[in-house]
């Protein structure tokens, strides 16, 4: 039985997006409550009935999310251009070694806008 789990975490941060066109509002410093979905996939052992303990996901991923919380994201190493696209990849690359079942990271910048990274290029 292959199953997908989603663990949602949040952080608050400021950013500005220097690659957007001159005059675009996203070039100005502003903040979001970012919502991060950590998506894990794999087979559920019948005898156990669960894939990964949600509490373990939170505990393992929290130090990564804490690196972003209440920061100016542009100042975080590797996030000079902190778009939702780049954030999802940045989080994936740090959480994947801790949680091998991680299949994707989805970053919601607002209620309506999200980017997802699934590894690869
Ligand atoms: Zn923004």
């Amino acid at each position: 039985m292959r199953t997908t789990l989603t663990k949602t975490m949040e952080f608050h941060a400021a950013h500005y997006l220097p690659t957007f066109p001159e005059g675009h509002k996203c070039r100005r410093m502003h903040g979001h409550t970012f919502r991060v979905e950590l998506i894990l996939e794999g087979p559920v052992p019948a005898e156990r009935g669960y894939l990964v303990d949600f509490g373990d996901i939170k505990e393992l991923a929290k130090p990564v999310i804490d690196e972003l919380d209440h920061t100016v994201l542009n100042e975080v190493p590797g996030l000079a251009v902190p778009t939702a696209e780049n954030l999802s990849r940045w989080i994936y690359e740090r959480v994947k070694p801790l949680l091998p079942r991680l299949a994707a990271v989805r970053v919601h910048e607002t209620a309506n806008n999200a980017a997802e990274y699934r590894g690869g290029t």
Side-chain angles (χ1 to χ4, degrees), residues 15 17 26 30-32 34 82 109:
H15 73 170
L17 301 175
C26 290
H30 61 280
H32 297 282
F34 289 91
E109 210 171 60

